[in-house]
Amino acid sequence: MTLTDHGASPLAEERLTTLGSRLRTALDGRFAAERAVARATFPSENLHRDPEMGMHEAREWTLERLVEVAGAGFGSSGVPERAGAPADPLAAVVTFEMLAHGDLSTTIKSGVQFGLFGGAITNLGNDWHHDTFLPGVCDMSLLGAFAMTEMGHGSDVMNVETTITYVPETDEYEVDSPTPGSKKAYLGNAAKHGTMAAVFGQLIVDGERHGVHTILVPIRDGEGNDLPGVTTGDHGHKGGLLGIDNGTIVFDHVRVPRTWLLDRFGGVGEDGTYRSPIKNQNARFFTMLGTLVRGRVCVGGAGAIAARRALSIATRYALQRRQFPAAGRPDGVLLLDYSVHQKRLLPRIARSYALGFAQDELVADLVRIQGGGEYTDREQRDLETLAAGLKSMQTWFANDTLQAAREACGGAGYMSENRITEMRRDVDIFATFEGDNTVLMQLVAKALLTDLKQSWSALDRGGLVQASARVAGETVMERTAAGPLLDRLANAVRGRAEETTLVDRGWHALMFEERAHHSLESLGRRMRAAGKGRGDQFEAFNRLGGHVQFVARAHMERVILSAFIAAIDACEDKETRGVLERLCSLYALQSIHEDRAWYLEHNRISAGRSKAIGAQIDSLCRELRPHALPLVEGLGVPESWLGTVMLED
Amino acid sequence: MTLTDHGASPLAEERLTTLGSRLRTALDGRFAAERAVARATFPSENLHRDPEMGMHEAREWTLERLVEVAGAGFGSSGVPERAGAPADPLAAVVTFEMLAHGDLSTTIKSGVQFGLFGGAITNLGNDWHHDTFLPGVCDMSLLGAFAMTEMGHGSDVMNVETTITYVPETDEYEVDSPTPGSKKAYLGNAAKHGTMAAVFGQLIVDGERHGVHTILVPIRDGEGNDLPGVTTGDHGHKGGLLGIDNGTIVFDHVRVPRTWLLDRFGGVGEDGTYRSPIKNQNARFFTMLGTLVRGRVCVGGAGAIAARRALSIATRYALQRRQFPAAGRPDGVLLLDYSVHQKRLLPRIARSYALGFAQDELVADLVRIQGGGEYTDREQRDLETLAAGLKSMQTWFANDTLQAAREACGGAGYMSENRITEMRRDVDIFATFEGDNTVLMQLVAKALLTDLKQSWSALDRGGLVQASARVAGETVMERTAAGPLLDRLANAVRGRAEETTLVDRGWHALMFEERAHHSLESLGRRMRAAGKGRGDQFEAFNRLGGHVQFVARAHMERVILSAFIAAIDACEDKETRGVLERLCSLYALQSIHEDRAWYLEHNRISAGRSKAIGAQIDSLCRELRPHALPLVEGLGVPESWLGTVMLED
């Protein structure tokens, strides 16, 4: 596509291109150097799978492609190859981002092999496990499944039914699937390629249950046959990710040597008794799960990349495709000149930037905590909360954006050669795996409520229960960077909210703060009432489900806005900064606009101001419209990687 | 699944089953008998295509399946087999509904062959065309493409670039694709199976252009080779509908006998001059397109059936699947007992009923107008407006519901063997073909504005421009049944809107009326201002794009509510009526809830009442929860037709 296609002069070309690269640098943020190197070295000749490939062919293609990218250094990054080798979470995250620019089955298969299977061994195993198994994981001679999910307990890991029973007579464990619901399900690498599984089950020693532990179990021989006592199944064709061989595993009293239990957080010692560095079973469970946080960080990031690809495709298409002729436009109107079309794409581009800045703060936290340094339990918990929330926000956004991009490209968007529909199919399940988004958002709300409860307890003791909960304690809200930054901005306009302009950052901050704080406090009150009431406790809490989701989302929006504002502060180039300022306003106003009913119901805005927000969004779209191409260039997806036939005309 | 799975007693089983069948009868409405016969006779052994089939295999399977159902009487219904034979639009609609219970590629291929290709010959051709071609269309020995859409003009049929030029020397037409944009695109039957196409192009006679006409052009020989001058192309793999061979056609000065132009509304006579029963070119164009309205009626109905299938699957799954244990529920909570889950499914079930009742009124209009009786131009235009609006509402709803159902079934929903994902892929494009939904909604708004303008003109003449437009003229709004019915109900509560209960039907009617009327009137005012302003006319109207969509949707919601109320009035069974009343309240409140920002901004509800609506929706969901199974039984999809592995456990 040449620039004349969308009406810019040749002279403007250099300036626009430059703006795109400056936006990209700003969005790449503190990891700009690593990302630039990765983009320059990633093997991009064979990015996309032919959509006409059937399932079986797709699985083999995906395995070969993963071997290829792993050979080029984009596979096991982040997995240490032996005991004591340093983990490199940043390399893992950036590798996953690069992979997400191409076939998403390859991306997720890398996640299964290196992130989940390799991650379980790395995080839950001891030196012997590392030395024995990680070399095979890294060179892909040992392909493994991550056998956590069960048919009967999708999101309820604590209650998996698989048993891991210690057998003192032979110093072994016996792994068993005692019920139909305990069948391991939806596991990548289980239907075909895996020869081993990291199996989550209830550890039983001498009749006593010690909670969920993880054990390595060989499942197939070299010829691909199930080993004795192991029955694998194949989920067959799926809604997407055709290149992943998802399957089931059932264990019938399978014996495994005692040393194969990943026993960093607990297991049977040489003396045949159970020992663990963490006494409390609950605490142990959450510590074990907590080490797996990187998967969520990666999946959220991959969803965000998919959205960027779709926005890049749809925006470039809207800059070349003309629709009906109109006054002064006899050759037809460029799609992107329709107001309705601008509103499909530009607010999503703005949110794409916003999520990128927030993801970078999350990655920085991950690098700090999993990169070998010191960290507190609370920092670990905050990381998990942020990862859960951002994974949900990013994967929901990806699904929404992929559909919007498909529709924005009309019939052409439906042709698989243009990539959007295949991505859409693949990303669909991102909202469910690595934790169902709705359940993850409950975790976010729970963390917020826990802090609130502590504050309230303190206030209760002081007899000050009527006072605002905000005055006490250091809460998740305040521990994030969002706390002081937004609070300071908001304070500047508090009390004169209706007098500011609609693009006043202080007003955005105030609105985001009010939404998050007020909804949390009222949820807290309703929770207390529900807990004290008589009658069906489940029903009492059940009715708060929608409120819980709102609170979690309102908190995440705060975190995201705060990250955007910090990124603007870090940007030194004036023109770039100006564009980012408008993008940030568009993101913030769109968020307020979508919740304007809440703001009206809670008297945070007047009816007149509410109506004006829609007009301001239109106006920001018009202001950003001339920058559309640099805006998508800034999203960092090289045009040659899009692989879209309709843009090659 | 047995009833004990969801806690009902065996004694209740008979009653529940009976409620389901009574709901089904109510929803089947005035065509209950025809639908019951169709359900009983439809060949349902081979409903679903194996999702592992590749594209080429899928195309052949789909063709064979269409031959099979056509052989059983579910193919060409509605297409007359010869000149003078009566058309049967009701048979066509009911057949299409039945087909939509199975593989949607088969459904759409039937639409291409019988509805579009056969429909073009039936509606645009003369007796000779009928006698010559319809027998082959009906027995599928003549497979055809409907060559309307062009690469350069997706939704802009009036400006297609293909030319049909009369050649007096040989008494032929020459069909040509003069530009790259004139390539015919996305046509079913074009890539492989079709041997003929009904081609839309600009008719040119003696240098004069007479607007868009349609001509039959042979495109392939018996061996499947392109005929001389014809170049077909294959779109290959698509986002869904893999069984349809969508392709492109380019014509290079292809000669066709004069008699092959479908000339009911215009063409060259034996004397070599152009003649038409409709002098005005614009009027002729819209008359020709208007005859094709049945396609939209059918596609909307098929989308609605897909949504019913998804809701049937997801609700039945939610009645067998348990999640985390909770207080008083040690075996885990049934998915459908979660408040959040109820709100995913029950309001959509309510809307499914609502759309079904509205679709029936549309079908009744279609039967009246295309069934051989008399009708006025205005009735034809009103039918087109209603068809455009309901097609959009139903296909958007289908897409939304399929995704919600997928997520409601978690990982199991992602497995193709459970059918939801494949349906989702197929239905995606329903929002784009047979008219892009956004463009169709513009047509709805345009019809409303035309009436309003006439009212205003009348008022202008009387110097009463400030008065409400509602007082004058007979508008689309009033011509629909919705007009008097809702108006009467609304009048009963007007002036005391905040004093009614939230389930007061009069209040629902008032809110729906206010939304439709006020938004239309303010759009009319903004349009007048835009038309009178200086500067860029396109930009002035462009900014109203969002408002236009709102007006069209508000009008359609009125039509739908009114149909629901009429259906309740027609229901004589007390228990069934009680359930329908609650479903109607749930539908109406959900609609108001989703637009509550608008109602607040326009002072139609108070903040307190707005908040109370959410609680009332929760409460209605709880009241309807015990009826969940009969509610989906009432949707009329036989359980054995669902073809869902997860429900067979």
Side-chain angles (χ1 to χ4, degrees):
Chain A
M1 193 176 65
T2 65
L3 271 167
T4 46
D5 279 330
H6 45 89
S9 73
L11 220 158
E13 184 167 1
E14 182 50 32
R15 192 182 59 79
L16 288 173
T17 311
T18 307
L19 176 59
S21 64
R22 278 178 281 147
L23 283 165
R24 190 184 62 233
T25 304
L27 182 57
D28 280 347
R30 70 193 90 190
F31 309 118
E34 290 84 351
R35 285 173 170 138
V37 170
R39 268 190 211 106
T41 57
F42 187 67
S44 62
E45 311 74 40
N46 193 19
L47 275 176
H48 306 290
R49 178 162 40 89
D50 178 355
E52 288 192 23
M53 263 184 211
M55 182 186 83
H56 298 288
E57 204 186 342
R59 288 176 175 181
E60 298 315 311
W61 184 93
T62 301
L63 179 56
E64 281 169 35
R65 171 68 180 158
L66 187 56
V67 169
E68 181 191 354
V69 294
F74 290 87
S76 63
S77 330
V79 181
E81 293 198 21
R82 57 182 193 286
D88 187 349
L90 179 59
V93 168
V94 173
T95 290
F96 210 75
E97 284 178 8
M98 289 302 122
L99 286 168
H101 284 80
D103 172 59
L104 289 166
S105 288
T106 308
T107 315
I108 298 305
K109 198 171 181 82
S110 118
V112 169
Q113 170 68 9
F114 304 115
L116 294 175
F117 181 63
I121 298 173
T122 307
N123 293 305
L124 306 178
N126 60 38
D127 284 357
W128 179 80
H129 298 120
H130 294 177
D131 284 335
T132 309
F133 299 107
L134 289 182
V137 171
C138 290
D139 69 14
M140 294 180 64
S141 59
L142 174 64
L143 295 176
F146 181 76
M148 178 188 273
T149 301
E150 295 182 354
M151 216 54 156
H153 293 273
S155 295
D156 186 7
V157 179
M158 194 180 258
N159 289 300
V160 292
E161 294 176 68
T162 299
T163 53
I164 306 170
T165 310
Y166 181 61
V167 184
E169 293 72 16
T170 57
D171 196 25
E172 291 174 307
Y173 289 106
E174 190 174 272
V175 180
D176 192 49
S177 312
T179 60
S182 69
K183 181 195 273 189
K184 294 292 181 182
Y186 309 127
L187 322 175
N189 274 349
K192 182 97 200 287
H193 294 140
T195 56
M196 191 177 279
V199 180
F200 286 70
Q202 304 291 345
L203 184 68
I204 304 170
V205 182
D206 199 17
E208 192 183 344
R209 300 176 80 98
H210 295 277
V212 175
H213 288 65
T214 310
I215 189 166
L216 295 175
V217 186
I219 56 170
R220 277 196 184 83
D221 64 21
E223 275 76 52
N225 304 305
D226 287 352
L227 289 172
V230 175
T231 307
T232 63
D234 192 333
H235 281 296
H237 197 275
K238 304 188 301 294
L241 295 178
L242 281 200
I244 312 272
D245 56 325
N246 291 87
T248 59
I249 314 179
V250 173
F251 301 98
D252 181 10
H253 301 89
V254 175
R255 293 289 179 95
V256 185
R258 178 178 55 80
T259 50
W260 288 38
L261 189 85
L262 299 172
D263 63 352
R264 178 174 161 201
F265 297 108
V268 172
E270 286 181 14
D271 63 354
T273 64
Y274 182 79
R275 61 193 59 185
S276 166
I278 305 173
K279 291 286 164 271
N280 181 285
Q281 212 180 101
N282 254 345
R284 190 189 311 134
F285 175 75
F286 287 110
T287 302
M288 288 171 66
L289 282 198
T291 62
L292 305 174
V293 67
R294 204 176 75 198
R296 286 181 185 158
V297 176
C298 284
V299 165
I305 298 290
R308 293 185 193 184
R309 287 167 62 189
L311 289 168
S312 300
I313 292 169
T315 304
R316 288 172 188 272
Y317 184 67
L319 288 169
Q320 72 177 37
R321 171 86 181 168
R322 290 178 189 278
Q323 197 53 266
F324 302 98
R329 290 147 183 91
D331 298 334
V333 179
L334 268 181
L335 278 187
L336 199 58
D337 285 329
Y338 285 107
S339 167
V340 171
H341 210 84
Q342 287 172 15
K343 277 195 282 191
R344 274 179 169 165
L345 297 177
L346 292 170
R348 291 187 171 91
I349 290 173
R351 178 169 282 269
S352 215
Y353 276 84
L355 288 167
F357 295 128
Q359 173 79 358
D360 256 24
E361 296 198 349
L362 173 64
V363 172
D365 287 351
L366 178 77
V367 168
R368 192 162 46 78
I369 288 176
Q370 293 203 342
E374 292 295 309
Y375 59 91
T376 65
D377 281 357
R378 196 162 71 184
E379 285 172 329
Q380 165 71 25
R381 283 203 310 277
D382 288 350
L383 172 68
E384 289 168 31
T385 303
L386 187 57
L390 259 187
K391 184 266 181 182
S392 301
M393 297 294 281
Q394 292 186 106
T395 57
W396 272 328
F397 172 68
N399 273 300
D400 164 70
T401 297
L402 281 159
Q403 186 60 22
R406 201 300 284 159
E407 292 177 24
C409 296
Y414 197 57
M415 302 300 119
S416 302
E417 64 186 13
N418 290 323
R419 307 291 169 203
I420 299 175
T421 50
E422 294 302 292
M423 265 196 282
R424 173 72 181 68
R425 295 172 64 190
D426 294 339
V427 165
D428 181 358
I429 197 65
F430 284 30
T432 299
F433 68 21
E434 285 282 339
D436 178 271
N437 283 358
T438 305
V439 176
L440 292 181
M441 290 300 259
Q442 287 169 3
L443 297 183
V444 173
K446 194 178 165 194
L448 296 167
L449 284 164
T450 303
D451 280 344
L452 187 67
K453 200 172 166 189
Q454 283 164 358
S455 308
W456 266 338
S457 299
L459 289 164
D460 268 348
R461 283 192 298 277
L464 287 163
V465 77
Q466 298 302 320
S468 165
R470 248 177 291 166
V471 302
E474 196 195 12
T475 65
V476 173
M477 282 209 176
E478 283 146 358
R479 286 201 300 280
T480 63
L485 175 58
L486 293 195
D487 204 42
R488 178 173 52 76
L489 285 166
N491 280 336
V493 302
R494 211 180 288 275
R496 54 175 193 90
E498 290 275 314
E499 296 156 38
T500 66
T501 69
L502 291 172
V503 294
D504 186 309
R505 196 74 68 227
W507 181 68
H508 300 158
L510 179 64
M511 289 299 102
F512 277 55
E513 287 288 279
E514 295 271 314
R515 176 172 59 182
H517 285 294
H518 182 88
S519 65
L520 174 61
E521 285 169 30
S522 69
L523 177 63
R525 277 193 302 274
R526 293 179 71 188
M527 284 272 178
R528 279 163 72 95
K532 286 175 180 170
R534 294 174 189 207
D536 191 333
Q537 283 279 306
F538 166 74
E539 266 306 325
F541 286 106
N542 193 19
R543 297 182 186 191
L544 304 179
H547 197 154
V548 164
Q549 295 291 314
F550 186 89
V551 163
R553 195 165 54 76
H555 172 68
M556 291 312 302
E557 287 287 74
R558 252 178 105 248
V559 169
I560 294 163
L561 176 63
S562 154
F564 207 144
I565 294 171
I568 294 173
D569 286 346
C571 176
E572 290 171 7
D573 179 68
K574 196 179 158 197
E575 186 191 11
T576 312
R577 204 183 154 103
V579 172
L580 289 176
E581 290 279 11
R582 269 171 289 179
L583 276 177
C584 186
S585 292
L586 182 54
Y587 156 71
L589 283 175
Q590 185 72 31
S591 175
I592 296 169
H593 182 70
E594 283 164 16
D595 278 341
R596 67 194 191 283
W598 186 91
Y599 288 106
L600 286 161
E601 284 168 355
H602 294 83
N603 293 313
R604 262 38 178 206
I605 54 175
S606 66
R609 197 168 174 91
S610 178
K611 286 196 236 178
I613 292 172
Q616 183 70 59
I617 288 172
D618 288 356
S619 168
L620 282 165
C621 285
R622 282 194 299 277
E623 288 173 36
L624 286 165
R625 158 70 185 88
H627 301 302
L629 186 60
L631 283 174
V632 294
E633 287 171 345
L635 292 177
V637 188
E639 187 175 2
S640 63
W641 291 15
L642 294 174
T644 303
V645 173
M646 66 185 179
L647 295 177
E648 291 165 6
D649 283 341
Chain B
M1 191 175 66
T2 66
L3 271 167
T4 46
D5 280 330
H6 45 90
S9 74
L11 221 159
E13 184 167 1
E14 182 51 30
R15 192 181 59 81
L16 288 175
T17 310
T18 307
L19 176 59
S21 64
R22 277 177 283 147
L23 283 164
R24 191 184 61 232
T25 304
L27 183 56
D28 281 347
R30 70 193 91 190
F31 309 117
E34 290 84 351
R35 285 175 169 135
V37 170
R39 270 191 209 103
T41 56
F42 187 68
S44 62
E45 311 75 40
N46 193 18
L47 275 176
H48 306 289
R49 178 161 40 89
D50 178 354
E52 288 193 22
M53 263 185 212
M55 182 186 85
H56 298 289
E57 206 185 341
R59 288 177 175 180
E60 298 315 312
W61 184 93
T62 301
L63 179 57
E64 282 169 34
R65 172 67 179 159
L66 187 57
V67 169
E68 181 190 355
V69 295
F74 291 86
S76 64
S77 330
V79 181
E81 292 198 21
R82 59 183 191 286
D88 187 347
L90 179 59
V93 168
V94 172
T95 291
F96 210 76
E97 284 178 7
M98 288 304 122
L99 285 168
H101 285 80
D103 172 57
L104 289 167
S105 288
T106 308
T107 316
I108 298 304
K109 198 172 181 83
S110 118
V112 170
Q113 170 68 10
F114 303 116
L116 294 175
F117 181 62
I121 297 172
T122 306
N123 292 305
L124 306 179
N126 60 40
D127 285 356
W128 178 80
H129 297 121
H130 295 176
D131 284 335
T132 309
F133 299 107
L134 290 182
V137 170
C138 289
D139 70 14
M140 293 180 65
S141 59
L142 174 63
L143 296 176
F146 182 76
M148 179 188 271
T149 301
E150 295 182 356
M151 217 52 156
H153 293 272
S155 295
D156 186 6
V157 179
M158 194 181 259
N159 289 299
V160 293
E161 295 176 67
T162 299
T163 54
I164 306 172
T165 310
Y166 180 61
V167 184
E169 292 73 15
T170 57
D171 197 27
E172 291 175 307
Y173 290 106
E174 188 174 272
V175 180
D176 192 49
S177 312
T179 59
S182 69
K183 182 195 274 189
K184 294 292 180 181
Y186 309 127
L187 321 174
N189 275 349
K192 182 98 199 290
H193 293 142
T195 57
M196 192 179 279
V199 180
F200 286 69
Q202 305 292 343
L203 183 67
I204 303 171
V205 182
D206 198 17
E208 193 183 345
R209 298 176 81 98
H210 294 278
V212 175
H213 287 65
T214 311
I215 188 165
L216 295 175
V217 186
I219 56 170
R220 276 196 185 84
D221 64 22
E223 275 76 51
N225 304 304
D226 288 352
L227 289 174
V230 174
T231 308
T232 63
D234 190 334
H235 281 296
H237 196 277
K238 303 186 302 294
L241 295 179
L242 281 200
I244 312 271
D245 55 326
N246 292 88
T248 57
I249 315 179
V250 174
F251 300 99
D252 182 8
H253 301 89
V254 175
R255 294 287 180 96
V256 185
R258 178 176 55 81
T259 50
W260 289 39
L261 189 85
L262 299 172
D263 61 353
R264 178 172 161 203
F265 296 108
V268 171
E270 286 182 13
D271 63 352
T273 63
Y274 181 79
R275 62 192 59 186
S276 167
I278 304 173
K279 291 285 163 273
N280 182 285
Q281 212 179 100
N282 254 344
R284 191 190 310 137
F285 175 75
F286 286 111
T287 302
M288 288 171 66
L289 282 199
T291 62
L292 304 174
V293 68
R294 204 175 78 197
R296 286 182 186 156
V297 176
C298 285
V299 165
I305 298 291
R308 293 185 193 183
R309 288 166 63 188
L311 289 168
S312 301
I313 292 168
T315 304
R316 289 172 188 272
Y317 184 68
L319 288 169
Q320 72 176 38
R321 171 87 181 167
R322 291 179 188 278
Q323 197 54 265
F324 303 98
R329 290 148 182 88
D331 298 334
V333 179
L334 269 181
L335 276 187
L336 200 59
D337 285 328
Y338 285 107
S339 166
V340 171
H341 211 84
Q342 288 172 14
K343 278 194 283 190
R344 273 178 169 165
L345 297 178
L346 293 170
R348 290 187 172 91
I349 290 173
R351 178 169 282 270
S352 216
Y353 276 84
L355 288 168
F357 296 127
Q359 173 78 1
D360 257 22
E361 297 199 348
L362 173 64
V363 172
D365 287 351
L366 178 76
V367 169
R368 193 161 47 79
I369 288 177
Q370 293 202 342
E374 293 293 309
Y375 59 91
T376 64
D377 280 357
R378 197 162 73 184
E379 285 173 327
Q380 165 71 24
R381 283 202 309 277
D382 287 350
L383 172 69
E384 289 168 33
T385 303
L386 187 58
L390 259 186
K391 183 266 181 181
S392 300
M393 297 295 281
Q394 293 187 106
T395 56
W396 271 328
F397 173 67
N399 273 300
D400 164 71
T401 297
L402 281 159
Q403 186 59 22
R406 200 301 282 160
E407 291 176 24
C409 296
Y414 197 58
M415 302 300 120
S416 302
E417 64 186 13
N418 290 323
R419 307 288 170 205
I420 300 175
T421 49
E422 294 301 293
M423 265 196 282
R424 173 73 180 69
R425 295 172 65 191
D426 294 340
V427 166
D428 180 358
I429 196 66
F430 285 29
T432 299
F433 69 20
E434 285 283 338
D436 178 88
N437 283 359
T438 306
V439 176
L440 292 182
M441 291 299 259
Q442 286 170 4
L443 297 184
V444 173
K446 196 180 162 190
L448 296 166
L449 284 165
T450 302
D451 281 343
L452 185 68
K453 201 173 164 187
Q454 284 164 359
S455 309
W456 266 338
S457 298
L459 289 165
D460 269 347
R461 282 191 299 275
L464 287 163
V465 77
Q466 298 302 320
S468 165
R470 248 177 292 168
V471 301
E474 196 195 10
T475 65
V476 173
M477 281 208 176
E478 283 147 359
R479 286 200 300 278
T480 63
L485 176 58
L486 293 195
D487 203 41
R488 179 173 52 76
L489 286 166
N491 280 336
V493 302
R494 211 179 288 274
R496 52 176 193 91
E498 290 275 314
E499 296 156 38
T500 66
T501 69
L502 291 173
V503 294
D504 185 311
R505 197 72 68 226
W507 182 68
H508 300 158
L510 179 64
M511 289 298 103
F512 277 56
E513 287 288 278
E514 295 272 313
R515 176 171 59 181
H517 285 294
H518 182 88
S519 66
L520 174 62
E521 286 168 29
S522 69
L523 177 62
R525 277 193 302 276
R526 292 179 72 189
M527 284 273 179
R528 279 163 72 96
K532 286 175 179 169
R534 297 177 187 204
D536 190 333
Q537 283 278 307
F538 165 74
E539 264 308 323
F541 286 106
N542 193 19
R543 296 180 187 192
L544 304 178
H547 197 155
V548 164
Q549 295 292 312
F550 186 89
V551 163
R553 193 164 56 75
H555 172 67
M556 291 311 304
E557 286 289 72
R558 250 176 106 250
V559 170
I560 294 164
L561 176 63
S562 155
F564 206 144
I565 294 171
I568 294 174
D569 286 346
C571 176
E572 289 171 9
D573 179 68
K574 195 179 159 198
E575 187 192 11
T576 311
R577 203 183 156 101
V579 172
L580 290 176
E581 291 278 10
R582 269 170 289 180
L583 277 178
C584 186
S585 292
L586 183 53
Y587 155 70
L589 283 174
Q590 186 72 32
S591 175
I592 296 168
H593 183 71
E594 283 164 17
D595 278 340
R596 67 195 192 284
W598 186 91
Y599 288 106
L600 287 160
E601 285 168 354
H602 295 82
N603 293 313
R604 260 43 177 202
I605 54 175
S606 65
R609 195 166 175 92
S610 178
K611 285 195 235 179
I613 293 172
Q616 183 68 59
I617 288 172
D618 288 356
S619 169
L620 283 165
C621 285
R622 281 194 300 276
E623 288 173 36
L624 287 165
R625 158 70 185 87
H627 302 302
L629 186 60
L631 283 174
V632 295
E633 287 171 345
L635 293 177
V637 188
E639 187 175 4
S640 63
W641 292 15
L642 294 174
T644 304
V645 173
M646 66 186 179
L647 295 176
E648 291 163 7
D649 281 342

